[in-house]
């Protein structure tokens, strides 16, 4: 890891994720910090992503605040570690201790689980599902595959503020959500005790290596299998594109193709109207309201491309929300 030491020269934006400038002596560097910081604080920043020119936000990350970050205390009674055996390990209270039950034990009916491949699909799915079923209660489970800190996403904060999401659980290596889960299976189990349905997928950004299996989209495979194991009905929200310059993401992205090929059981796949789906999985087509979404004020860009430059990406994600809303309705009917 690459570190530099500097002094906070400006606090540009407060919040759960504080956006700052750090004077490292020879240059000013943009950075973010998760704990509170003030101008003049002595900090150490991790510079790896910016130094390597990665598309990871264009900022450094405060590793430690030497002025006020050495006396922080964890939650009372917490004893389970996240980021364990790293210098950033910290204790949490996992949701699993509140919903523990024997494997194979009696479970009630289970709502649908929409599995997304990219964080950018989240607002589309949540918005369109609530357009179909305005009183639906839908939570979000954040997994690995992209950013791990739960507080990084402005989208999640917006969706929570607008009531489009009912809650936020960070599972596995992801941390810092409203609730913490040790495993994806435990997160889904806890979610189904609280909400009618779940959207599950990575935080902002995505890990990638241009290889078949080495990318954050593989988190979707694990999430779908976890949903099946818990007794839920997974709905794959495919990554699709009509504007990505990389051929491997044209149409149905190779990320989603790989997940569908490796799934151990057939599942439903949400698709915009008139989009084919080869293979053994069941396509569920839905009409979507892209114009309405554009007017919602929610994010309408993906990797720098607006919705009119990559309409298929947004229509596929919105189709996921439309089908999710329909499946919540079926779930409700089955409980009556």
């Amino acid at each position: 890891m690459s570190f530099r030491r500097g002094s906070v020269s400006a606090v540009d934006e407060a919040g759960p994720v504080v956006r700052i400038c750090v004077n490292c002596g020879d240059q000013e560097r943009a950075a973010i910090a998760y704990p509170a910081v003030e101008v003049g604080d002595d900090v150490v920043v991790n510079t790896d992503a910016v130094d390597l020119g990665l598309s990871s936000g264009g900022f450094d990350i405060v590793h430690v605040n030497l002025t006020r970050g050495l006396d922080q205390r964890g939650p009372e009674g917490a004893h389970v570690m996240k980021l364990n055996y790293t210098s950033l390990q910290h204790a949490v209270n996992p949701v699993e201790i509140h919903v523990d039950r024997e494997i194979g034990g009696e479970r009630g009916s289970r709502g649908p689980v929409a599995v997304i491949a990219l964080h950018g699909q989240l607002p589309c799915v949540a918005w369109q599902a609530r357009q179909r079923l305005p009183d639906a209660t839908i939570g979000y489970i954040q997994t690995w595959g992209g950013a791990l800190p739960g507080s990084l996403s402005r989208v999640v904060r917006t969706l929570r503020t607008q009531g489009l999401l009912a809650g936020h659980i960070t599972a596995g290596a992801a941390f810092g959500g409203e609730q913490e889960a040790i495993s994806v299976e435990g997160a889904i189990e806890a979610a189904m005790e609280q909400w009618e349905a779940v959207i599950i997928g990575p935080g902002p950004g995505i890990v990638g290596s241009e290889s078949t299996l080495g990318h954050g989209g593989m988190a979707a495979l694990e999430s779908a299998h976890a949903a099946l194991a818990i007794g839920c009905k997974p709905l794959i929200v495919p990554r699709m594109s009509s504007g990505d310059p990389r051929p491997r993401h044209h149409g149905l992205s190779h990320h989603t193709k790989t997940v569908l090929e490796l799934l151990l059981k057939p599942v439903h796949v949400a698709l915009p109207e008139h989009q084919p789906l080869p293979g053994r999985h069941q396509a569920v087509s839905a009409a979507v309201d892209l114009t309405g979404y554009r007017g919602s004020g929610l994010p309408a860009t993906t990797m720098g491309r607006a919705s009119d430059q990559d309409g298929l990406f947004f229509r596929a994600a919105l189709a996921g929300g439309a089908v999710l809303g329909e499946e919540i309705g079926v779930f409700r009917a089955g409980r009556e």
Side-chain angles (χ1 to χ4, degrees):
M1 293 180 285
S2 300
F3 295 102
R4 295 196 65 179
R5 186 170 178 173
S7 175
V8 177
S9 56
V11 175
D12 297 328
E13 182 181 331
V17 178
V18 187
R19 297 178 185 272
I20 61 177
C21 287
V22 177
N23 186 331
C24 292
D26 59 340
Q27 62 180 160
E28 293 273 338
R29 299 180 68 100
I32 63 170
Y34 294 103
V37 295
E38 296 181 11
V39 171
D41 282 359
D42 185 11
V43 297
V44 176
V45 292
N46 183 312
T47 66
D48 263 355
V50 175
D51 290 348
L52 292 172
L54 302 180
S55 56
S56 301
F59 47 73
D60 299 330
I61 300 172
V62 172
H63 179 69
V64 61
N65 185 333
L66 298 172
T67 300
R68 67 189 71 254
L70 302 180
D71 58 355
Q72 302 296 317
R73 302 191 62 166
E76 191 71 30
H79 65 279
V80 173
M81 305 303 288
K82 283 211 169 182
L83 300 183
N84 42 312
Y85 298 98
T86 74
S87 64
L88 298 177
Q89 65 181 357
H90 58 278
V92 300
N93 287 307
V95 293
E96 285 92 342
I97 63 176
H98 304 296
V99 295
D100 196 30
R101 64 183 76 215
E102 291 184 10
I103 297 297
E106 197 64 33
R107 289 188 174 95
S109 59
R110 298 294 185 176
V113 175
V115 181
I116 60 176
L118 287 174
H119 196 68
Q121 296 172 305
L122 176 62
C124 302
V125 177
W127 181 85
Q128 188 72 80
R130 290 294 296 272
Q131 294 298 303
R132 291 295 175 94
L133 205 61
D135 62 342
T137 56
I138 304 169
Y140 168 53
I141 297 173
Q142 182 176 332
T143 66
W144 74 274
L148 298 178
S151 57
L152 181 63
S153 174
R154 292 170 169 167
V155 168
V156 171
R157 294 198 294 274
T158 298
L159 295 175
R160 290 288 286 123
T161 299
Q162 295 185 6
L164 295 175
L165 285 178
H168 177 201
I169 301 175
T170 38
F175 64 94
E178 295 167 42
Q179 300 176 67
E180 300 275 12
I182 297 171
S183 69
V184 171
E185 292 80 3
I188 296 173
E189 182 80 14
M192 290 305 165
E193 295 285 326
Q194 305 173 70
W195 310 310
E196 294 177 292
V198 168
I199 304 169
I200 184 168
I206 188 169
V207 179
S209 67
E210 301 184 7
S211 63
T212 301
L213 300 178
H215 54 80
M218 295 306 298
L221 179 66
E222 300 171 20
S223 297
H225 283 153
L228 287 167
I230 294 299
C232 297
K233 182 179 180 181
L235 169 69
I236 301 297
V237 181
R239 178 178 180 176
M240 306 184 77
S241 178
S242 54
D244 198 304
R246 297 164 294 182
R248 63 184 182 274
H249 292 304
H250 283 180
L252 187 66
S253 168
H254 81 104
H255 285 187
T256 298
K257 287 179 182 176
T258 302
V259 168
L260 295 178
E261 289 169 2
L262 294 179
L263 269 164
L264 297 177
K265 290 182 65 175
V267 297
H268 284 181
V269 181
L271 289 173
E273 291 181 309
H274 313 303
Q275 288 291 328
L277 180 72
R280 59 196 172 95
H281 300 286
Q282 181 178 341
V284 185
S285 297
V288 302
D289 184 6
L290 181 53
T291 300
Y293 180 77
R294 286 172 175 153
S296 70
L298 293 171
T301 61
T302 175
M303 299 185 177
R305 298 185 299 275
S307 58
D308 59 345
Q309 298 171 310
D310 200 347
L312 183 56
F313 175 88
F314 291 92
R315 289 192 293 113
L318 290 167
V323 177
L324 179 62
E326 293 168 2
E327 292 195 349
I328 296 172
V330 172
F331 167 66
R332 285 182 179 181
R335 292 191 302 179
E336 294 175 354

